[in-house]
Amino acid sequence: MKQTINILLLGTLILSGCCSSANRRLDAALEFAGDNRSELEQVLEHYKDSGEKYNAARFLIENMPRYFSYEGERLDSVKAVKAEIIKKGFLTDEQKNKWKGFSPKELIRVYDAKVIKAAFLIDNIDLAFSVWKGKPWGRSVSFNDFCEFILPYRLADEPLENWRRTYYDRFSALLDSLYQGNDPVVATDSLYGALKKITWKYNLSFNLPALGATFLLNNPIGGCKEVSDFTVYVMRALGFPVAIDAYLYSPVNRYAHYWNVLQDTTGINIPFWLLDTKVQRGGTDGRKKGKVYRLCYGLQKEKLKGLFASEETPASLRNGYVKDVTHEYFGKNTSEIEVDSRLCGEFVYPAVFRKEGWYPVDVAEHHNGKATIRNIEPDVTFIPLSSKDRRVRAVGYPFQLTASGVRSFRPDQQKTERVTLRRKYALRRKIEASLKSVKGTCIEGSSTPTFQRAELLHTITSVPYPYMDNNVVSLCSAAPYRYIRYSSAPDEPIDMAELSFYTASAPDEKIEMKVYSASDIHLDKDRAKVAKMIDGEHLTYYTSAMKGANVIFDLGRPQSIKKMVYTPHTDGNFIYQGDEYELYYQNGAHGWVSLGRKTAVEAQLVYENVPVNALLWLTNLSRGRDEQVFYIEDGEQVFVLNDK
């Protein structure tokens, strides 16, 4: 997902060296076009007396050397396979194995400047101007913003195609039927209500370039980047000023993420995302971001002098076609932190935690042992890195910007504490809600599947803590029963990972059973979903579509039930008995220091002699991949947590 942000294409360094002269940039682009130069010159000649349209054409052409498409029969084949997911709902193992190693590096790059036609560019420019000038909110969009938010003929490395007219014809009548006013926010939200009805298949199969406007229109499939791309195609075709914002790496969940922004008539950019949020002023998706960048068509001003030319700087931070817009989300702020100048290269790189090593998400200057870091999200943990002699390392201690200032996690080696650990990763609110849904669940037994005569065997009256596996409930049925009915509370869905029953004669051998019926069962595939409750896998689960749902299990024959064991839908990040763990604290330039390995004998780990004010990291050496740094406050683990 990070490919679009990280890519550094031909032209970035060349153009950054000649930003002082627009003519030199234009000459460089025309020269790069080679045999296709005449097509670009036709566009300039066509608009030579058109004022803004001429400047728009120059903007597109001057930045064009960066952009290309991929071509190749293998790309067409793997896109066709991905499209099958829409029709079938799945891929065969053979298809997965054949294409899982596919890489765009196998394909041919075709640069726009060398193949683009004058008619294509002229049509794109004319259509973009038509919707810009034709919408009431267009009056508030400046020419410079028009060039970035409406004009571009492409987004990334998708196929070069005339999408603007196709999308306009598909969606303009729909917009007109929904809204006739002059507020772009209300108009976008109205249109989004209709677009949400499109059944989007969220799928990240295969490492592919950007899929392109035509493919996404016919095959609504992909991840957050594809959803955001599709939104841009729709909105720009209709004259809405929209762009794509992203974070390079989440400070919480290990991934990059993309979403859209709409420019309001006041110049404020409003974030939204088709699959998750409502389009509204003041809205938020609740995700921690750390740093936010806007994907741009045009070359942006160098953030720090010498940045583009620095070979020590990570490629993602030398990308001249993204713009730091963190201040739009969290306001302007400055954090001054101590760094070891002896270890620093030219720049300092604030980074967020990653299990494989800290991930740099920003660049900052440093002088006399101090680094000045601007515009970061408060209450997110960063560490200052730097690169010197091709070696990247920490040059200071982890820190957070808080309401009271900068908090530095400098461990106190002389003052230690005893800590109790119950998780290795933040408990997300969605998971917490799923865990709490078990309260009020009823378990009944009956001799017949109709449950005309049933015995209540147990009601779960509280949420199990610490939400661990294998919550054991003693049962004592009055008679042997063949059928068990599991019913959620009237205001909750069933959200269960694993359920099993035992008899007194075989207390360690769970009763074999199958799903007889359930509230949600309509097709065989629905039955398979329900069966996840009894598949023996604690990280698979069944969530009912309705509240007050029930599942009836067939035990095969009447049996006396003496014990139930259940595991709510969880994330596998609690402490598990028998698993081996290792705890570290971060010690600045000295890196991570181990506080020892332990095998869990209960649902918690206790460590003595943990330095006070340390940033900690607990890793499970037995299984799992979700891990996150935390600190201890009032005896409890404190993680950075998304607001949703």
Side-chain angles (χ1 to χ4, degrees), residues 64 179 216 247 383 445 491 586 625:
M64 196 176 291
Y179 185 73
L216 293 176
Y247 48 74
I383 196 170
D491 58 346
Q586 210 293 322
R625 60 177 184 172

Side-chain angles (χ1 to χ4, degrees), residues 515-533 541-545 550-551:
V515 176
Y516 178 83
S517 67
S519 304
D520 287 351
I521 286 183
H522 301 290
L523 304 170
D524 286 342
K525 68 177 183 179
D526 295 327
R527 191 179 301 276
K529 292 179 182 178
V530 180
K532 291 179 179 180
M533 290 177 66
Y541 58 91
Y542 163 63
T543 303
S544 65
N550 68 75
V551 178

Side-chain angles (χ1 to χ4, degrees), residues 25-48 53-54 56-65 111-122 125 153 160 297:
R25 290 192 61 194
L26 181 61
D27 290 343
L30 294 173
E31 183 177 352
F32 179 77
D35 294 340
N36 198 53
R37 177 177 183 139
S38 62
E39 294 288 335
L40 302 183
E41 289 176 333
Q42 285 182 49
V43 178
L44 296 172
E45 178 66 22
H46 179 78
Y47 290 121
K48 67 178 182 180
K53 286 190 176 182
Y54 176 80
R58 285 195 58 152
F59 172 78
L60 294 177
I61 293 171
E62 287 169 4
N63 290 285
M64 196 176 291
Y111 285 89
D112 292 1
K114 296 182 180 296
V115 298
I116 203 165
K117 299 302 179 184
F120 175 93
L121 269 183
I122 291 170
I125 293 169
Y153 62 90
L160 191 61
Y297 177 86

Side-chain angles (χ1 to χ4, degrees), residues 7-28:
I7 197 168
L8 285 173
L9 305 174
L10 180 62
T12 300
L13 298 181
I14 296 174
L15 297 181
S16 68
C18 54
C19 285
S20 60
S21 171
N23 288 334
R24 290 181 62 189
R25 290 192 61 194
L26 181 61
D27 290 343

